[in-house]
Amino acid sequence: MTKKPQKFVYSKPANGYPEWNNNPEIFQLNRRKPATTSIPFASIEEAKQTPFEESRFVRSLNGEWAFKWVENPAERQTDFYKSEIDTTNWDRITVPAHWQFQGYDYPQYTNTTYPWVEQQELKAPFAPTNYNPVGQYVTAFELEEDWLDKPLFLHFAGVEAAFYVWVNGELVGYSEDSFTAAEFDLSPYVKPGENKLAVEVYRWADASWLEDQDFWRLSGIFRDVYLYQTPYLHIRDFHTQTLLDDAYQNAELKVTVETENLFDVPFSGMIEIQLHDENDQPVYQTKQPANEPIIEFSETITNPKKWSAEEPNLYTLYLSVISDTGETLEVHRSQVGFRKFELKDGLMKINGERILFKGVNRHEWDAKRGRAVTKEDMEKDVKLMKQFNVNAVRTSHYPNHPYWYELCDRYGLYVIDEMNLETHGSWYYGQKELEETVPGSRPEWTENILDRAASMYERDKNHPSILIWSLGNESFGGDNFLKLYDYFKTVDPSRLVHYEGVFHYRLSEAASDIESTMYIPPKEVEAYALNATENSKPYLICEFSHAMGNSLGNFYQYTELFDKYPILQGGFIWDWKDQAIHRETEDGRTYLAYGGDFGESPNDGNFSGNGLVFADGQITPKIYEMKKCYQNVAFEPTDLVNGQLTLKNKNLFANLSAYTLQWKVEKNGEMVEEGTVATLDIAPQSTKTIKLPYVKYENETSGDEYHLTVSLHTKEHHEVAYEQFQLPTSKRNDTHETIVLATGDTTFTFDANTGLLSSVKKEQTELLQSALEPNFWRASTDNDKGSKFDKRSAIWRDAQANRELTALHVTETDVQTTFVYPELGNLKLAITYSVTDYGQLTIHYTLMPQKPLPDIPEIGMRVSLDKAFDQLKWFGKGPFETYIDKQTAAKVGVYTSTVDEQFVSYLKPQETGNHIDTRWVELTDTTGTGLKVSGQPLVEFNALPYSYEEMEPAEYAYQLPESNRTVLRINHLQMGIGGNDSWSQDTLPEFRLPGTHGYSYSFKIETI
C-alpha cells in the first residue's frame, strides 16, 4: 500500500497582504528543495542517445495555453483556476515566451531606474498595484494510470516575476525568483485522464526590488515547463567533486547521492554509478545499497584528462537506481570535468596555472524572442565566442538557462555564475552609508536572497565550467552580502566568490575573494598592480570596454596590462549582444527598437545597445578587435630580413601542434609568395623561433611596400591568431616618379568665389556631385554623447558654415587658397592644389589655430560623388572599420567593398566605416571609371551613403533618407572612438586631436 504525500494546506500571510506584496520573507509556498538539473531516463542506453525532453519519463507542457491578461491584480478573474471554469474562449499564447512579445502589455527598458516609479510612489518592500499586469495561463494534460501511482513533479525553468500554481482547482504552491527553477510535487493533485493546470503570473512583486537589472523588463513563463515521473525511490539530487592532488595529476572522484522516497514504499535495491571516458569506455563502476538517504561514493582516478577552456575534456557519469531483482528503474546523466580552481600564491589558478579571463558579459537575448532563448540561440552564441577567442562568460546578471552551462562545459568557457540580484535603483554612486539600500543589512530580505543563492548553487553545482559564484550586481553592500559569502564558502569551498559591490562599500570587503571593479581606465588598473602587496586580492574588471555603438577603442591597452602584471587576471567586456527588439514600421520596414519605442516611461533609450553582436545575431566590426587582443599566441620579429620570427604560446595547457602556420608576403597589397609550416611543436607557456623561407627584400629601392602576414589555423581552416609585419627595405626613393598615367583627359575646375575644387571630369564624365571642402566633424558616437564631447567641441561643427576665403592665388600649375574661420578664433587653413605632369592633383593642407580651441573630431576634407561611384578598393588597414584607438585586429592589405557595406547599422546612426593607414583608395562605378586618392604617404578615408548632417538627427537607420550619393571623407586624422564607458569618460588623451596646435598633410587625386 503506497502512501502519497499530503496536499499543501494554505494560510494567508499574517500582515493581510498577499504573498507577492510587502512580504519579502515569503518567496515560496510548497516549492520543492532545489536540486541539480537532471532528468531520469529508463536505461543507460537511453540516457546516452536521448535528449532530456524525449525521455519516456518526461512530458513537455510547452506549446499553446489559454491566456487572459489584465492591467492590475484587482481586475484579475479570481476563480479562473477552478475545474468548472471554461477557458475555451480565452486568447491563446505560446509557452515559453514573454507575453510582451505576443501582443500584451509593453516591454520596458531601463538601466537603473525601477520601472514603476512613474506609475506609483513606493518604498521597498511594497509592490505596484495601480499598474501591475497579471497573466493567467491555463492548459490541460492527460495522464494514464501508470503515471498516477508514482511520484510526479511539475518543473518551471523560469517565470518572471512571481506566480501561483493550481492543479484541478487546488492550490499547489507559489514561487518567486525569475531565473531559477521552481518544482512542485503534483502526486496528491492529479487524476486519471484530463488535468487542469492554472498559473497566475505577476509582472512585479516585492521580490522585483531585487531584480533591477540593466535589461528589458519582461514577464511571463519564458523557459520550459514539463512534468516528470520517478520511481518510488529515486535520486533527488547528486553532487560530483573532482579533488586533484597537489601535483594536479590524480584525482579523487567524490559523488554524493541524495535519495527520496515520498511514498514510503519499502526498497532494498542499489545505487550504481559508472564513469565513462570520451570514447564511452568505462573508467570506474561501483554500487552501494540504497538504505540511507545520503550515499557517498569515492574513488581515486589515475591521471584523468583535465578540463580547461583550452582542452574541455569531459567524462560522463551515469547514476542508476537498481531494484533488488536487478531491474534498472532510473538513470541520471551528468558531465564530469576533472579540474581544480583555487586561490594560491595570491592568484587565481586553474590546475596549478595562473588563469587569465578573456571574457564577455552575456544577457540572454534574441531580437524576436527576448530572454526566451532557444537551444539554437545558445549554440550560436557559444560557437561565436570560441571562434573569437573568448574563454570566459559572466551570466549577467542572473542564472542563465540550464543548457547554457552544458555548452560551456562542452566547448570550454570559464563561467562566473551570478545570482539573480541587482538593486541599482535603491542606492547611488558616492553613497557612504546603507541608507535605504536593498537588501543592505535589512533582516526581512536575508532569507529571500539566501534562497536565491541556494537555488542557483544547487541547480548548477555540478558544472566544471563554473569557477566563481557571484553575489549579484550593483547592489551596494551590507551584512546580507557577508551572509551570502558565508553560505557559498560553506557549501562549496572549491570555488571562489565574487562581488563588485564591495568597491563601493568597503565595510563589506569580506564578501569577495576578488578585487573587482567596473569601467576603470587602464592607468588606474595598472595602479592597482603597481601598489599591490602580498595581501592584495587578485583583480578582475568584471565590466569594461563598454561596447555601445561604435566603441572598443584602446581595448588593447587593457589586454597588454593583463599580460604584464600577474595580479591583473582579466576582465569581461560589456557586453555580448545588443538588447534590441525586432519591429516593423507601418509601411513594413524592419528595424531594431530600443527603449522608448513602445511608449513606455521611464526608459533609457538605446543604452541597451552595448553588444559585440547585434540583437539579430549578426556580428559587429568591434568583435574583431576583441578577437585579436584575446588571441593566445604572440608573434615577435626576431630577424625579418632573414625570415626569423619568435612565437610565444600563451596557452596554459594546449600545444600549438594542433595548428598550421600559414604565411604570405604581399607587395603593395598583392601576394608575391606564400607558404605553410605544417608542424608546430610549441609547448604551452613557451616560445620558439622559426625561419620562414621567403625572399629577402632589404635591397628593394622602388618605394614598394612589402608586408609579411603570419597566421595560425585549425584543421577546419579557422584563423585563431595572426600578426603582420612590414618587411625592411632600403630607404624609399621619392625623387623620381616611376608611374606615368595617361590623364590628359582629366580636368580640374575651381570655383573662384569659394576657392574650392568644384569639378573633376574624366573626358565628359563628371565625378563630383559637390565641391571638395574642409571638414572637422563626424557623426557623434554614443561615446561622444555620453562624455559630452559633442557639446564641448560643437564649435567645430557650427563654424564650417561661416568659412571665409581670404586669399586665392592662381598659376599655370597651382591654386593656392587661404581660409579663415571667425568662429574658431580666426583659425587659418591654407590649401594648395598642384597639377603635376602626370595629371595628378596634389593637395597640401595646413591647419593653423590662432588660439587654444577644443579637441577636434577630425581633420580633413570631404566630397560627394554620384551614387553610381559605389565600388570601393583600398590599400591599407582592413577589412573592417579602424580608428587610431581600434586597429589592433586589422591587417594591411588590398580590400574591396561597396559603399553600402561600409555603413554599420548601430542602434542609432553614428560615425562608422573609417579606415586608417590608407596608402590609396579607389572609388569607381561598375565600369571602373572613378577617382583614386593616394596618401603622401598615408591618409584616413571614409566612404558612406550619408553625411553626418543626415546621420545625426536619425534615431534609427530606417529613418535615413534614400541616398543618391557617396560621401567621401579624406582625412589626415580622426580622433579615437573611446570605450572605457559610454556615459562619462573621454577618449583617452593620446587618441584625441588637441585644438591647440597646427596640423598638415598631403594627398593626391587622379581619375581612373
Side-chain angles (χ1 to χ4, degrees), residues 515-639:
E515 177 69 12
S516 177
T517 64
M518 296 180 179
Y519 308 111
I520 302 298
K523 286 186 177 179
E524 293 182 29
V525 174
E526 184 174 31
Y528 182 86
L530 293 173
N531 297 321
T533 69
E534 62 180 13
N535 296 320
S536 295
K537 296 177 181 179
Y539 183 93
L540 271 183
I541 184 162
C542 66
E543 294 180 20
F544 78 126
S545 288
H546 198 259
M548 184 176 182
N550 190 348
S551 190
L552 226 68
N554 63 268
F555 182 67
Y556 72 93
Q557 293 186 340
Y558 288 104
T559 55
E560 287 178 354
L561 291 174
F562 300 155
D563 285 336
K564 184 176 181 180
Y565 299 103
I567 199 170
L568 305 180
Q569 297 200 247
F572 295 78
I573 296 170
W574 188 266
D575 60 351
W576 175 245
K577 181 182 278 189
D578 280 354
Q579 295 179 73
I581 297 174
H582 181 272
R583 209 175 185 201
E584 290 189 4
T585 62
E586 291 182 359
D587 58 358
R589 290 180 291 173
T590 62
Y591 68 102
L592 292 169
Y594 47 77
D597 284 348
F598 300 90
E600 80 279 17
S601 184
N603 70 80
D604 282 301
N606 69 322
F607 202 69
S608 62
N610 319 131
L612 297 160
V613 177
F614 287 122
D616 59 6
Q618 300 299 308
I619 62 175
T620 76
K622 293 170 285 192
I623 201 170
Y624 293 100
E625 189 76 357
M626 178 195 71
K627 177 185 177 182
K628 180 63 166 61
C629 293
Y630 274 177
Q631 70 183 30
N632 282 331
V633 181
F635 305 83
E636 299 293 340
T638 306
D639 181 358

Side-chain angles (χ1 to χ4, degrees), residues 388-450:
F388 284 89
N389 292 332
V390 171
N391 75 356
V393 63
R394 175 178 175 231
T395 65
S396 51
H397 303 290
Y398 43 82
N400 284 186
H401 190 292
Y403 185 61
W404 177 249
Y405 302 90
E406 292 184 35
L407 294 173
C408 293
D409 294 342
R410 188 191 316 163
Y411 284 90
L413 286 175
Y414 301 125
V415 176
I416 295 182
D417 201 9
E418 191 150 87
M419 280 178 57
N420 177 22
L421 175 58
E422 178 167 345
T423 65
H424 205 155
S426 74
W427 63 280
Y428 55 90
Y429 290 112
Q431 182 174 319
K432 302 299 182 184
E433 305 298 330
L434 291 178
E435 300 182 21
E436 296 185 347
T437 302
V438 177
S441 297
R442 297 163 72 166
E444 66 268 27
W445 292 104
T446 301
E447 292 304 315
N448 192 312
I449 63 171
L450 285 172

